[in-house]
Amino acid sequence: MLWKIRIVFSILNVIYDVFRPILLFLRKKPPSIPPITRSIYKLSATKLAKKIREREITSYEVVQEYITRIKEVNPFLNAVVDERFADAIIEAKNYDEQLKDGKFDIKTLEQEKPLYGVPITIKECCAVKGCSHTGCTLPRKGIKADYDAAVVEMLRNAGAIPLCVTNTPEMSSGYDSANLLYGRTYNPYDTRYSAGGSSGGEGALLGAGGSVIGIGSDLCGSIRIPAFLNGIFGLKPTSGIIPTNGHFPHTDDKHFHKFMTFGPMTRYAEDLGLLMRVMTSKCNHDLRLDVPVDLKQIKIYYRQSLDKSFGVLPMSQEIENCVLKAANYFTRHNIRAEKLPIKWPETITDIVLTGFLNIKEPPQLLLDANNPKNHKNANIEMVKALFNLSQHTKQLIFFTIPFETHFPFTDSEISHYTKHAEEIRQKLLNTIIVSADLLGDNGILIYPTFRKQFLPELVIFEMISVSNCGIFNIFGFPAMHVPMGLNHEGMPIGVQVIAAPYQDRLCLAVAKELEIAFGGWVPPSVSISD
């Protein structure tokens, strides 16, 4: 990392280490969210769909139960920004009537409508007809989508019933889901902590058991970081295999579309494959999602931290141990696991930060409600924000400045680090050095997703930790967060699982295995009474 930046962050890290325990001490741990008391919330979407098809349960019952749970937990979380409960109930009743009348047989539903009657929740940046589509920014207050994004259309065609749209940072630009339009989303395990971003509302609702499956989007960890913080599964698929039209904010920049993708967020590993088959139904690449993976033939590599050099906050010991536990699990089952044989450069954070500066035409983020063509100055907006005079959050403005100025990097540094990124990518694929791929079609990397849980007020201090996820957006690799239980504070922990491009199925298979081994999603509070 550039020394000027290292020095700044080393100072910030000292401040962070001082203030984090003080803030936690001053804040009493708040009451827990209402416990799960109905066994229906412990069923995966895959099992719910099967029960609906076989008429063991009605879609109406499932939809009504999840609406009830959302109403129960959302006052604690502030995760939902708009709902379509009345329409969802009508759709569920119609689906039940169609089944009763014999319109579909079980086999047809299983093959063509595998999500028939199952409720789903969706990140607000993704267009859901009739629901808020503001980007969670004040200048677009009141705007609703008049169409469904392509991915929503595919999910509806598969039988899914959207219930609501969920909160994000303003313009999906940040790692704490707070904005001036809808407020902040809180973590279901401890509402003192952040639910993350930008798919934070989705992550919090799923973690709380208020949703069974959801859709997020990921530009630089925006699915995986909330998945980590809220204890669920979250997959950033291979770049380009899922259509992104209907995402707001939007740009035609090729690098933006290379880095950004929609992806599934779930409580159960088996639902990831189900959603991926639906979401990639129009993909022109053979992903072999239905081909069984022989885990005995997989090569496992692992790395326990991002960068231990000056200016970078260290990976928590619990997460390093988590990575090692996952790797050792495979070793004990006679599956080869070894440390990543590639030296991670000390400039890895520079590579990530400059990678996103290759977006030459970023979406317009600082919108003007009175004049959409007006280009606001980020520096002026930051000054205004210090006095609460801006229509935008400090988080968004802070995010916008590097795109406008490229600060603190020069064009030659951006070019240098971009070339360096490609060298590392090729080393991971290993197509240059040897004939056999390092990851190839049977290699997996187990890697930290994020450093640790954080308080919303201290989000800026964790900015470099985002590089753990962002590097794989730049590489275009599929990457998934896999939950592995709770830490000593009762907060979720887990690891990231990465594969080579178009080998998403390997991530899915490893996620299932780790869920069996370590338990996967653990509800914030559990009390099954029926």
Side-chain angles (χ1 to χ4, degrees):
M1 193 192 304
L2 297 175
W3 277 104
K4 53 190 173 185
I5 302 302
R6 287 187 182 276
I7 292 169
V8 169
F9 271 98
S10 64
I11 295 169
L12 289 174
N13 294 348
V14 173
I15 297 170
Y16 181 85
D17 288 339
V18 170
F19 277 95
R20 185 178 186 274
I22 292 173
L23 284 173
L24 276 174
F25 176 77
L26 292 175
R27 293 181 184 174
K28 246 189 198 178
K29 187 170 181 179
S32 299
I33 66 169
I36 289 175
T37 57
R38 301 278 290 163
S39 58
I40 193 171
Y41 301 127
K42 301 286 283 184
L43 295 174
S44 68
T46 303
K47 290 182 175 64
L48 286 170
K50 185 175 186 292
K51 284 181 175 291
I52 292 169
R53 285 194 299 268
E54 296 177 355
R55 298 184 64 186
E56 293 180 23
I57 192 172
T58 65
S59 174
Y60 170 77
E61 288 176 273
V62 177
V63 167
Q64 189 62 63
E65 287 283 4
Y66 271 98
I67 290 172
T68 298
R69 182 63 178 167
I70 288 171
K71 290 178 178 178
E72 190 175 42
V73 299
N74 197 56
F76 294 80
L77 307 176
N78 190 38
V80 177
V81 300
D82 199 6
E83 47 86 1
R84 56 183 308 278
F85 295 159
D87 288 338
I89 288 170
I90 292 170
E91 289 167 15
K93 287 180 176 178
N94 288 339
Y95 280 177
D96 291 333
E97 284 297 317
Q98 289 174 357
L99 275 181
K100 186 178 177 182
D101 294 341
K103 184 173 181 180
F104 301 106
D105 59 50
I106 291 176
K107 190 172 182 181
T108 300
L109 287 178
E110 192 173 358
Q111 292 177 348
E112 298 178 10
K113 293 184 178 293
L115 289 168
Y116 191 86
V118 176
I120 189 169
T121 55
I122 298 168
K123 184 178 180 180
E124 202 262 9
C125 70
C126 181
V128 177
K129 188 174 181 179
C131 286
S132 174
H133 193 46
T134 62
C136 296
T137 185
L138 268 177
R140 281 174 59 90
K141 182 178 180 179
I143 291 179
K144 293 182 182 282
D146 57 6
Y147 69 102
D148 283 329
V151 69
V152 174
E153 186 177 344
M154 287 190 284
L155 290 163
R156 282 185 184 272
N157 289 339
I161 300 176
L163 293 185
C164 61
V165 292
T166 53
N167 203 25
T168 75
E170 184 179 8
M171 301 295 272
S172 293
S173 300
Y175 302 103
D176 177 52
S177 290
N179 56 73
L180 300 179
L181 183 55
Y182 295 120
R184 169 170 283 122
T185 296
Y186 299 94
N187 193 298
Y189 291 83
D190 184 337
T191 54
R192 293 176 298 178
Y193 287 99
S194 175
S198 60
S199 307
E202 201 58 39
L205 195 62
L206 281 156
S211 176
V212 63
I213 49 174
I215 300 302
S217 64
D218 195 310
L219 176 70
C220 184
S222 291
I223 285 174
R224 290 157 288 158
I225 293 170
F228 168 84
L229 295 172
N230 297 286
I232 61 168
F233 294 88
L235 171 63
K236 181 205 82 69
T238 297
S239 174
I241 65 174
I242 294 174
T244 57
N245 76 298
H247 184 280
F248 183 83
H250 172 79
T251 175
D252 291 327
D253 187 277
K254 66 177 182 179
H255 283 96
F256 179 84
H257 287 282
K258 174 186 172 185
F259 302 150
M260 202 285 293
T261 180
F262 287 122
M265 301 174 73
T266 71
R267 287 190 278 129
Y268 299 101
E270 67 177 344
D271 292 339
L272 292 163
L274 175 60
L275 279 170
M276 280 293 287
R277 282 188 285 276
V278 172
M279 296 169 72
T280 61
S281 59
K282 297 182 180 178
C283 174
N284 57 12
H285 198 286
D286 183 11
L287 301 172
R288 299 186 296 159
L289 293 176
D290 291 319
V291 177
V293 174
D294 183 357
L295 290 174
K296 295 290 185 183
Q297 301 303 315
I298 284 184
K299 298 179 293 184
I300 303 288
Y301 300 95
Y302 67 93
R303 181 180 171 86
Q304 292 172 274
S305 64
L306 171 74
D307 182 2
K308 294 187 177 181
S309 57
F310 176 66
V312 177
L313 283 166
M315 187 61 59
S316 74
Q317 191 61 53
E318 284 180 316
I319 298 302
E320 290 198 10
N321 293 343
C322 213
V323 171
L324 197 57
K325 279 168 61 180
N328 287 341
Y329 168 79
F330 288 103
T331 300
R332 288 197 304 272
H333 288 77
N334 299 316
I335 298 169
R336 175 181 151 195
E338 62 181 78
K339 282 190 176 180
L340 184 69
I342 294 175
K343 182 176 170 59
W344 225 234
E346 290 187 356
T347 55
I348 194 72
T349 50
D350 305 76
I351 288 168
V352 176
L353 294 173
T354 56
F356 291 97
L357 297 183
N358 282 305
I359 300 175
K360 303 302 182 188
E361 297 179 12
Q364 189 172 347
L365 300 175
L366 302 175
L367 302 181
D368 187 332
N370 299 317
N371 181 6
K373 294 183 179 179
N374 182 32
H375 186 81
K376 292 183 179 178
N377 184 289
N379 293 316
I380 293 174
E381 288 301 316
M382 181 60 81
V383 174
K384 289 167 66 176
L386 293 175
F387 297 96
N388 295 320
L389 298 174
S390 177
Q391 284 190 307
H392 307 288
T393 60
K394 298 180 187 72
Q395 188 176 201
L396 173 65
I397 300 166
F398 184 81
F399 190 89
T400 304
I401 289 173
F403 281 115
E404 291 194 351
T405 65
H406 285 181
F407 177 83
F409 299 100
T410 64
D411 288 344
S412 62
E413 286 169 337
I414 293 171
S415 176
H416 168 74
Y417 288 125
T418 299
K419 289 176 184 175
H420 202 174
E422 185 55 27
E423 289 170 6
I424 298 170
R425 184 180 187 276
Q426 290 300 330
K427 281 182 180 178
L428 278 171
L429 293 174
N430 217 14
T431 56
I432 296 175
I433 301 174
V434 294
S435 57
D437 290 349
L438 183 68
L439 293 182
D441 63 1
N442 68 339
I444 281 287
L445 171 62
I446 299 174
Y447 191 76
T449 304
F450 203 67
R451 216 178 62 83
K452 67 193 305 182
Q453 303 281 338
F454 63 89
L455 299 168
E457 300 85 352
L458 303 178
V459 60
I460 188 174
F461 297 97
E462 292 287 1
M463 188 181 75
I464 289 180
S465 301
V466 172
S467 299
N468 287 290
C469 288
I471 189 69
F472 301 108
N473 292 79
I474 290 171
F475 291 164
F477 291 3
M480 177 195 297
H481 175 72
V482 177
M484 289 174 58
L486 307 179
N487 67 10
H488 70 284
E489 295 178 321
M491 300 300 290
I493 53 174
V495 298
Q496 194 175 184
V497 174
I498 298 106
Y502 307 110
Q503 302 303 324
D504 304 63
R505 70 193 192 101
L506 300 184
C507 294
L508 301 175
V510 170
K512 278 188 180 181
E513 191 67 18
L514 291 177
E515 180 183 45
I516 293 168
F518 298 101
W521 170 70
V522 178
S525 47
V526 184
S527 175
I528 301 297
S529 63
D530 59 341

